[in-house]
Structure formats: C-alpha cells, structure tokens
Amino acid sequence: MLRTAQDEVAGGIDQLFDRLLAVPADPRKQLYEAMRHAAIAGGKRLRPLLVRAAADLFHVDRSISLRVGAAVEAMHVYSLIHDDLPCMDDDDLRRGKPTVHRAFDEATAVLAGDSLHALAFEWLCDPATHADPFVRAELCSELARAAGPAGMAGGQMMDLMAETSDFDLSTVTRLQQLKTGALIAFSVEAGAILARIPVEGRRPLRGYARDIGLAFQIADDIMDVEGDEELAGKALHKDADAGKATFVTLMGLERARGQARLLVDQAIAHLAGFGEEAALLRAIARYVVERDR
C-alpha cells in the first residue's frame, strides 16, 4: 500500500511539475531549467504523500490534494536549493544529482529557490486548487507560517547558529520542530483544511504530525552517522564535522533509536479515532524511521 501510494504521488508530482514548470522560449530558460533540475524526479515526496494521506481521511478529491502537495514540495525544494548554497551548508550533491548552484551557478540557484517559493503560493491561490476562497486563503496563511521565521526559516537560522553554540536537547528539539517539523505539520493539516475540518477537529492530526516530524529528524541524524551516501544521495557526516549538537550526539545512538520508535508509536496512537482510512498515515509513520535515505 505505501509503495503504491508513493509511486502514484511521485508520478503525479513529476507530471504536475513538468506542466507547471514548462521551459519558456525566452531568456528565462535557464531559470526554469534550474527549477526543473531540482524539482523533477527526485526525493521521497514525503510531504505530498502526507497531504494525500490526510486528505484521504476526508475523501478529498486526489487531484486537489496533489496540487497542494506540489505547492508544499515546491516550498521544500526551494529550501533545499538555498540550504545547499555556499553561504549556508555548501553542498555539492542533492538527491543524487549536482546541487543547483553546481549544475548552473549561484545566482541562478538563488532565483530558482525564490521562484519556487513564490510559485507555491501562486498554485495554492489558484481556483483550480479549491473552489472555496476561504480554504485557499487558509492554506496560504498556514504555509507562510510554516515556511517563515516561526517555522522552517527560523529553524534554519537556529541550525546556522548551532555551529558556534552549545545547544541542549530541548533547543535541538525546538530547532528541528521548526526546520523540519513545521512543513511536515502543514502537509498533514492541509488535508483537513481542504475538507473544511475546523481547527478543534484537527488536534489528532497535529499530534501525529508533531511526533513523526521529530521521529523523521532523529532518523536523519542516525542516518548521518550510519548511512550510505550513495543511497542517501547527499553528503553525510557533515553535522559531526561542523561540531553541531544532534539527537545522536546528545542521546547516543541506541537511546535515539528508542526515542524515534516511541514517537512513531505515539503518532499512531493519535490516529486511534480513525479506522482503516488512516492506514496510509500509519504506514508513513513507520516508514520515517525504517527508510535508508
């Protein structure tokens, strides 16, 4: 079930990106080629998969949840492009391919990231995404919050500061809740927003998203120590080389593994009020700590 859903979502996202990022026959050609290089045929597509899984709980049309998934993925890819820049993590490899600033140049990489950031909101605002303007407005508002200083960008700033600071476990947890967890949380909540579920009715999904977001990052930290760079498609061991505090350095490998498993169990427990329709969400929770990339 999980593999089938992953393949369907990945294929659908690539088809959407292929259409929405069609290369124009004008001087912007290189910008679009750079966006396509970063966005098409790569990554786990975890965030679009979570949008679909959450939306399926409420029988939302999958063509709609796929469009929202594409917007979330565009925001995620923007963050990766900028994160890889020499002024940030200075990486040469992402998703098994040269990073955008290596494949093109730094200026093109900055503009490709900027463009994907803007396009995420453009796609959410499109009536093709949802007929209800209030739903579209809430999606935009929540994505902005998840991507900005109270979310992903704020977490990235904390991550940069981690190179010269001694962070304790609570600070590292907060960092990852912002840097990684905020966009994962939006992806889950977006499914409920599409179904017009009121805020108070989303509490189980928020708990689920919080727990799998942390479990995902702990698994990433473990992979950074034990993983295979060829499978991961990116450089590993960089956090240790930079002297950053991680869940593994603060907890040790075995305790970190145990904490990740506990978080997955907690995430699944949040879904107790749902039946078989939540099977994909449960499978995703298990997958985040079992993956090898």
Side-chain angles (χ1 to χ4, degrees), residues 46 212 215-216 219-220 223 264 283-291:
L46 174 66
I212 68 159
F216 180 91
D220 251 18
M223 198 182 311
V264 168
I284 293 170
R286 298 184 186 97
Y287 162 75
V288 299
V289 297
E290 295 169 356
R291 62 198 167 88

Side-chain angles (χ1 to χ4, degrees), residues 11 40 45 63 65 76 82 100 137 168 179 198-199 274 286-287 291:
I40 295 176
R45 307 301 195 201
S63 66
S65 61
H76 176 53
H82 282 196
V100 176
D168 60 14
K179 182 183 177 185
V199 173
F274 298 99
R286 298 184 186 97
Y287 162 75
R291 62 198 167 88

Side-chain angles (χ1 to χ4, degrees), residues 196-218:
R196 301 187 181 92
I197 304 299
V199 173
E200 58 271 18
R202 304 174 199 165
R203 192 171 293 110
L205 292 178
R206 286 180 168 178
Y208 167 89
R210 180 187 63 245
D211 289 337
I212 68 159
L214 280 178
F216 180 91
Q217 188 56 51
I218 293 173

Side-chain angles (χ1 to χ4, degrees), residues 102-176:
R102 294 299 184 196
F104 297 88
D105 55 65
E106 288 184 38
T108 300
V110 170
L111 291 174
D114 290 347
S115 297
L116 286 165
H117 182 283
L119 285 169
F121 293 106
E122 182 179 325
W123 297 340
L124 288 183
C125 288
D126 192 325
T129 298
H130 202 284
D132 188 336
F134 292 99
V135 168
R136 300 198 304 271
E138 187 173 6
L139 287 170
C140 287
S141 175
E142 290 302 318
L143 181 59
R145 185 174 294 109
M152 185 171 62
Q156 182 61 53
M157 186 71 242
M158 291 179 71
D159 192 48
L160 291 174
M161 297 301 294
E163 295 184 11
T164 56
S165 306
D166 293 324
F167 283 179
D168 60 14
L169 185 58
S170 63
T171 307
V172 170
T173 299
R174 179 61 174 157
L175 184 167
Q176 300 301 349

Side-chain angles (χ1 to χ4, degrees), residues 17-19 21-23 32-40 97:
F17 279 152
D18 186 49
R19 178 167 59 83
L21 299 176
V23 179
Y32 278 81
E33 288 174 341
M35 286 191 284
R36 292 172 66 89
H37 174 84
I40 295 176
K97 299 185 289 187

